[in-house]
Amino acid sequence: MSEEERELIRRHDWRGLLHYGVIFFMFEKLGAVTGISNLHIYAAMRGESLEAFQKTRNAPGALYSVTGKSGGKLDWDKAEQSKS
């Protein structure tokens, strides 16, 4: 990978990656390996907080990812728990 590609991933610059040419399906895979839910990615791509983005959804409290939970809590699980 080029340094530019690495930096886009490090910054979680989803819009930058899209403009760079990454296919949307790849965002799910990147989210899975970095512990970021699909909805966190979608919200960031819209320039919104997760909370603002979830208000536009039919299931506002839902979080999901293509990753399994067998490996333990995900980063976004921990963030949600700390709000409680």
Side-chain angles (χ1 to χ4, degrees):
M1 290 175 60
S2 72
E3 185 55 37
E4 179 182 8
E5 293 163 337
R6 290 183 196 134
E7 189 57 31
L8 287 166
I9 292 170
R10 277 187 213 112
R11 288 194 326 257
H12 299 153
D13 184 351
W14 309 113
R15 293 180 81 175
L17 286 162
L18 186 65
H19 288 281
Y20 188 79
V22 171
I23 61 171
F24 188 76
F25 179 73
M26 189 65 181
F27 291 138
E28 288 188 328
K29 302 301 181 191
L30 287 170
V33 300
T34 58
I36 299 172
S37 78
N38 292 7
L39 294 182
H40 283 87
I41 294 170
Y42 306 155
M45 290 179 71
R46 287 176 51 159
E48 298 176 344
S49 69
L50 176 63
E51 293 76 20
F53 179 75
Q54 285 181 311
K55 289 178 183 176
T56 69
R57 307 292 92 192
N58 290 332
L63 288 177
Y64 57 91
S65 174
V66 297
T67 189
K69 291 217 175 193
S70 61
K73 294 275 185 207
L74 299 171
D75 288 342
W76 47 273
D77 285 332
K78 295 171 191 163
E80 293 302 311
Q81 285 179 349
S82 67
K83 291 180 184 178
S84 311

